[in-house]
Amino acid sequence: MADQAFVTLATNDSYARGAMVLGKSLRNHNTSKKLVVLIGPQVSEPCKSLLKSIYDEVRVVDVLDSGDTAHLSMMKRPDLGVTFTKLHCWTLTQYSKCVFMDADTLVLSNIDELFDREELSAAPDPGWPDCFNSGVFVFCPSMETHGKLLQYCTEHGSFDGGDQGVLNGFFSDWATADISKHLPFIYNLSSIAIYTYLPAFKQYGGSAKVVHFLGKTKPWSYKYDPKTKRVTGSVQEADTHSTFLLDWWNLYSTAVVPMMHEEYGDQPFHSGCEEVESSSSHVQAHAQAQAQEEVAATEKLTSDERREKWEQGQADYMGVDSFDNIKKKLDTFLKK
Ligand code: UDP
Ligand code: GLC
Ligand code: MN
C-alpha cells in the first residue's frame, strides 16, 4: 500500500549504517510498504546517496535534542537526547499509517502484518514491561498529534531524557487500556532479554521477527573479518546474540559494502561510512581504549560483595552488571 511506510531515523553516519542494513532487511523480506528514513543534516553525502538507493524517501529533518543530561545519565546514555528527533515521524502525513523502527533493529521475516494494528502499538520494554519500548511502534502521522507531543515535551519533559520517556508519558494508558496494542515481544526482541531470561530466549527466540540491538554497543561498534565471516570481540561463536550480530554483519558486508564500492569504486569514502573497513582507524582505537577502561572499572567493582548481590537477584543491570559490561568481561576471559 502506497500510503503506508516503515520509518527509521539516523542523525549521523554510524546510525546511517544501521538504517542501510535495516532497509535492506525489509526489502529482502519483500515488504510491500514504502521505506522512509529521516536523517540529520550531519549525515554525509555518500551515506545519503546510499540511503537513497535503498529507501523510497530520504527526508532531512532538524535534530531535536532534549538536552536533559540529568535523566540521560541515569541510563548511562548521554547520547540519547537526540532521539527527540524521532517525534518528527508524526509529520509524515502523506502516509496514513507507519511503523517506526530504530536504526539498530534488523528484520528477520516479513512483518507487514504490523499495519493491521492501531496507534500506538508497541512491545513491552524488557527493563520495565509496563512501559513500551520505542524501538518499534505503529503510529498514524498527524500534525495535530505532533504538535501535542511537542507541547508535552515542553510541559513535562521526558523521564528518561529520550523519546521513550515522552511517548510513554503521552500514550500513558498503553499498559492497561487495550491488549491489542501490545505487540508480541518477537517484534522487538532486545538483545538484553537473552541474558535476563535465557530459558525463554531458548524456547521462543527462534520465532523472533525483529531483533533490536538495544544498548550502548551497536553492531557497527564491532569489527568483522569478511574472509573468516567472524565478528571479533564477540562473546563466543555459539552465543545466540552473536548469531544475530553475524546476521547483521553478513547483510552489511554482502549487500551494503558492495553498493559502496559500486558507487565510489576503490576510493576511500570521506565519511563515517568507511570506518568499518579501516580496522586501525582512530575511531576504533579510541573505542577499544574506552572498552578496556570500562572492563578495568568492572573488574574493580565485581567484588565478592557484588557477586553476593547478583546471586540475591539484585543485579545492577543499568550499571556495572549491564549487558555491555558482562560481555566485555567475558571477552577478556576468552582472549586470555
Ligand atoms: N539515533 C540517532 N542518532 C543518535 C542516537 C540515536 O539517529 O545519535 C536514533 C536511531 O534511529 C536509534 C534511535 O534513535 O536507533 C534510538 O537510539 P538507540 O537505538 O541508540 O537507543 P537504544 O535502543 O539503545 O536505547
Ligand atoms: C530506549 C529505546 C530507544 C529510545 C531510548 C530513549 O531504550 O530502545 O528506542 O530512543 O530508550 O528514550
Ligand atoms: Mn535502539
Side-chain angles (χ1 to χ4, degrees):
M1 273 232 266
D3 71 339
Q4 298 186 333
F6 284 101
V7 182
T8 189
L9 163 71
T11 64
N12 56 40
D13 283 3
S14 300
Y15 281 94
R17 282 197 267 155
M20 290 169 200
V21 173
L22 168 63
K24 275 283 178 190
S25 70
L26 282 160
R27 294 264 182 238
N28 285 352
H29 294 289
N30 305 316
T31 180
S32 64
K33 313 297 171 185
K34 296 277 180 196
L35 303 189
V36 180
V37 58
L38 306 177
I39 61 166
Q42 214 191 316
V43 171
S44 68
E45 277 307 319
C47 280
K48 195 170 160 181
S49 82
L50 275 187
L51 285 169
K52 278 189 183 153
S53 56
I54 301 172
Y55 283 79
D56 296 295
E57 188 180 344
V58 177
R59 187 184 288 203
V60 183
V61 294
D62 291 334
V63 173
L64 300 179
D65 193 335
S66 73
D68 185 351
T69 45
H71 283 120
L72 290 165
S73 66
M74 266 160 65
M75 290 206 288
K76 301 205 168 27
R77 295 291 303 275
D79 50 319
L80 289 189
V82 295
T83 66
F84 266 32
T85 314
K86 232 189 241 186
L87 304 178
H88 282 304
C89 69
W90 264 273
T91 66
L92 295 167
T93 49
Q94 70 271 44
Y95 303 102
S96 61
K97 195 184 274 183
C98 296
V99 172
F100 181 89
M101 302 188 72
D102 268 9
D104 61 343
T105 57
L106 175 71
V107 169
L108 307 173
S109 61
N110 185 293
I111 50 166
D112 287 357
E113 68 273 16
L114 284 179
F115 290 83
D116 296 340
R117 307 268 180 162
E118 282 167 34
E119 177 173 279
L120 187 290
S121 294
D125 185 85
W128 194 269
D130 279 348
C131 285
F132 58 84
N133 180 274
S134 62
V136 177
F137 61 87
V138 182
F139 70 101
C140 295
S142 142
M143 289 315 287
E144 192 191 339
T145 314
H146 180 248
K148 285 183 183 163
L149 277 164
L150 293 189
Q151 195 180 344
Y152 185 93
C153 290
T154 325
E155 284 169 12
H156 307 272
S158 162
F159 70 77
D160 70 4
D163 64 289
Q164 184 163 308
V166 176
L167 292 173
N168 274 275
F170 189 80
F171 296 100
S172 61
D173 65 356
W174 174 84
T176 51
D178 182 355
I179 194 69
S180 72
K181 293 184 180 176
H182 286 222
L183 297 181
F185 198 60
I186 53 164
Y187 288 100
N188 185 352
L189 173 68
S190 321
S191 26
I192 207 170
I194 299 169
Y195 76 99
T196 50
Y197 197 2
L198 188 61
F201 176 75
K202 289 203 165 138
Q203 181 74 2
Y204 304 115
S207 343
K209 294 192 174 205
V210 177
V211 57
H212 184 181
F213 297 96
L214 185 147
K216 208 156 59 179
T217 312
K218 300 300 184 194
W220 52 87
S221 325
Y222 295 84
K223 274 188 276 176
Y224 177 77
D225 182 348
K227 288 195 196 85
T228 59
K229 297 201 185 321
R230 288 169 78 136
V231 178
T232 51
S234 65
V235 185
Q236 52 184 312
E237 237 179 311
D239 181 87
T240 30
H241 174 57
S242 4
T243 311
F244 292 138
L245 205 56
L246 274 182
D247 290 342
W248 190 96
W249 272 103
N250 276 334
L251 195 52
Y252 183 75
S253 64
T254 59
V256 176
V257 174
M259 283 172 76
M260 288 179 182
H261 285 297
E262 214 169 279
E263 260 186 78
Y264 300 101
D266 290 329
Q267 292 166 15
F269 316 109
H270 296 291
S271 82
C273 283
E274 91 278 17
E275 275 167 34
V276 49
E277 284 164 321
S278 56
S279 55
S280 58
S281 77
H282 172 71
V283 182
Q284 277 167 341
H286 176 74
Q288 260 170 1
Q290 206 182 345
Q292 272 156 10
E293 267 172 41
E294 283 172 28
V295 170
T298 318
E299 273 169 358
K300 209 161 57 191
L301 286 158
T302 314
S303 59
D304 289 350
E305 206 180 77
R306 265 253 54 79
R307 192 169 65 200
E308 215 171 281
K309 285 209 159 172
W310 169 276
E311 284 166 2
Q312 287 163 1
Q314 297 170 16
D316 177 15
Y317 291 124
M318 302 301 276
V320 288
D321 304 321
S322 70
F323 179 70
D324 286 349
N325 281 346
I326 292 171
K327 215 177 92 30
K328 276 172 201 148
K329 179 84 182 167
L330 287 173
D331 286 347
T332 61
F333 291 142
L334 289 167
K335 274 180 207 138
K336 273 178 194 160

